[in-house]
Amino acid sequence: VIYISSSTGDDANDGLTPQTAVRTPDRGVNLLRDGRPDWLLFRRGDTFRGSLGRWRKSGRSANEPMVIGSFGDAALPRPKFLTDGHDHGLVRSYGDDPVRYVVFTDLHGYANNRDSESPDFDGGRSREFGVRWSAAGGDIRFENLLLEFYAFNMGLGERADDIDGITLHRCVLRNAYSDNGHSQGLYTNRVRNLTISECVFDHNGWNERADLGRRTGF
């Protein structure tokens, strides 16, 4: 188990206890072992600049998945990732090697540069995804995620890769908008065995407070 805290961590630590947490997502991800049931836990209440980036690591099996989640006081907010208009929150690209048996849970992806009420708002022109998962693999679970203000909060599939088994459970996808009308809370194509349960999709596709976020035929 690897612990990460932006408020108390240090990348010189080993990350193996909450008291010796590392500080940055990149350092934590690098400590995970591909093909093993490792857990990567972010401290609740902390804010991280950047994202989980291009995901490349798998768990061991459906019964022993890799888990990317949170630790700490359950009364505190999910760990928040400010993606700053540059990165997708989490991406698996077409052509990447297959990834299987991973759970992403209890995380908050926030496109802070696209929220008109944020001090970081820059007009909303970036084309960020909260999650873009379009490479082969499967047995992936997204649970209790909050994704907001991206042009595309989540995109699954799209290309002709072999994707089999994705679950969305109790996720909230809200306030997606775009400057050209192509925007959605969730887009999915070419995914076999897709399960969506107890999720909330709210106010996706436009933003009346941003000049570039008007309603269109899309």
Side-chain angles (χ1 to χ4, degrees):
V1 179
I2 305 298
Y3 296 88
I4 305 181
S5 171
S6 62
S7 59
T8 66
D10 186 327
D11 279 353
N13 291 339
D14 60 18
L16 296 178
T17 70
Q19 293 74 34
T20 60
V22 298
R23 185 176 63 84
T24 62
D26 284 350
R27 173 64 173 152
V29 171
N30 286 338
L31 291 171
L32 294 173
R33 303 168 298 174
D34 188 28
R36 304 292 292 273
D38 292 354
W39 287 34
L40 181 66
L41 303 181
F42 294 84
R43 185 176 180 273
R44 295 185 72 94
D46 278 4
T47 298
F48 300 85
R49 289 273 178 185
S51 69
L52 290 173
R54 192 164 180 171
W55 196 263
R56 302 177 185 275
K57 298 185 178 183
S58 296
R60 177 181 285 158
S61 67
N63 291 327
E64 296 179 291
M66 183 172 285
V67 177
I68 316 303
S70 66
F71 76 97
D73 186 347
L76 293 174
R78 303 170 180 88
K80 180 187 285 189
F81 293 81
L82 309 184
T83 49
D84 284 335
H86 303 298
D87 303 308
H88 302 317
L90 171 67
V91 61
R92 285 289 302 153
S93 294
Y94 174 72
D96 285 349
D97 291 337
V99 164
R100 290 189 178 276
Y101 316 125
V102 188
V103 177
F104 298 93
T105 182
D106 301 328
L107 304 174
H108 179 186
Y110 175 47
N112 53 305
N113 285 31
R114 296 175 46 80
D115 179 2
S116 59
E117 297 187 357
S118 166
D120 300 324
F121 182 60
D122 63 5
R125 292 184 180 276
S126 66
R127 306 286 291 161
E128 294 173 86
F129 279 78
V131 173
R132 186 171 193 176
W133 199 274
S134 58
D139 298 286
I140 306 298
R141 185 177 181 89
F142 301 103
E143 181 168 330
N144 195 32
L145 302 185
L146 170 58
L147 302 174
E148 56 181 350
F149 291 104
Y150 293 93
F152 314 96
N153 278 330
M154 183 175 285
L156 307 175
E158 183 179 1
R159 302 294 185 93
D161 271 316
D162 182 13
I163 303 177
D164 188 355
I166 293 184
T167 297
L168 276 68
H169 182 62
R170 294 190 176 180
C171 294
V172 177
L173 286 71
R174 65 188 185 190
N175 298 324
Y177 74 95
S178 172
D179 63 349
N180 71 0
H182 290 79
S183 176
Q184 57 272 323
L186 171 67
Y187 174 83
T188 178
N189 185 28
R190 300 180 184 270
V191 177
R192 297 195 306 277
N193 296 310
L194 172 67
T195 300
I196 304 171
S197 61
E198 300 182 31
C199 294
V200 174
F201 299 88
D202 180 55
H203 204 285
N204 294 296
W206 82 99
N207 184 341
E208 64 275 10
R209 296 185 178 183
D211 291 340
L212 300 176
R214 61 189 180 279
R215 298 170 185 261
T216 74
F218 295 103

